[in-house]
Amino acid sequence: QVQLVESGGGSVQAGGSLRLSCAASGRTLSSLAMAWFRQAPGKEREFVAAISWGGGRTYYADSVKGRFTISRDNAKNTVYLQMNSLYSEDTAVYYCAADPDRSGGRYAGVYDYWGQGTQVTVSS
């Protein structure tokens, strides 16, 4: 069993930055492919970014490419999402997800474990 706890959300003005963290427990982070998804009010959950278990490969949604950076520190069992140049359209609840089969990628269905989410609100 893997437990994921997100933190770092909050309110920020457009153009600002936030860094989200996802602390994993119950399993060594290096055994997991990780990702961030988000869900805005009235919309379906969507892929944001993913990182392979070793950190060598990263994937981004087109809407965040060049603005967001996913990274991981396996020694700290933590995954990060650095978000820069935030738009009001980035307002959503952000979820961390883990795939123990190390497949990872953009498809939510491969991720077995999810955090509770952290709210990000960007005001224009």
Side-chain angles (χ1 to χ4, degrees):
Q1 193 74 7
V2 176
Q3 293 80 41
L4 303 172
V5 179
E6 302 97 335
S7 61
S11 297
V12 65
Q13 289 192 331
S17 299
L18 283 173
R19 188 176 82 156
L20 305 183
S21 298
C22 172
S25 60
R27 193 159 168 172
T28 304
L29 189 67
S30 60
S31 68
L32 304 166
M34 302 294 295
W36 289 93
F37 290 78
R38 67 186 182 186
Q39 188 167 19
K43 295 187 177 181
E44 294 186 353
R45 190 171 298 189
E46 66 174 357
F47 169 76
V48 175
I51 188 166
S52 61
W53 62 272
R57 289 173 293 165
T58 56
Y59 311 88
Y60 295 95
D62 288 343
S63 59
V64 307
K65 199 172 296 182
R67 300 188 298 123
F68 291 10
T69 302
I70 188 171
S71 62
R72 62 192 298 155
D73 186 337
N74 287 345
K76 295 183 177 180
N77 259 28
T78 302
V79 176
Y80 304 97
L81 185 68
Q82 178 66 44
M83 305 186 296
N84 299 328
S85 302
L86 284 161
Y87 305 145
S88 57
E89 292 80 9
D90 296 315
T91 294
V93 177
Y94 283 71
Y95 297 91
C96 177
D99 171 23
D101 293 329
R102 298 190 179 182
S103 299
R106 303 168 182 267
Y107 177 51
V110 306
Y111 295 93
D112 292 336
Y113 301 102
W114 294 80
Q116 293 298 307
T118 185
Q119 176 71 46
V120 171
T121 303
V122 184
S123 58
S124 57

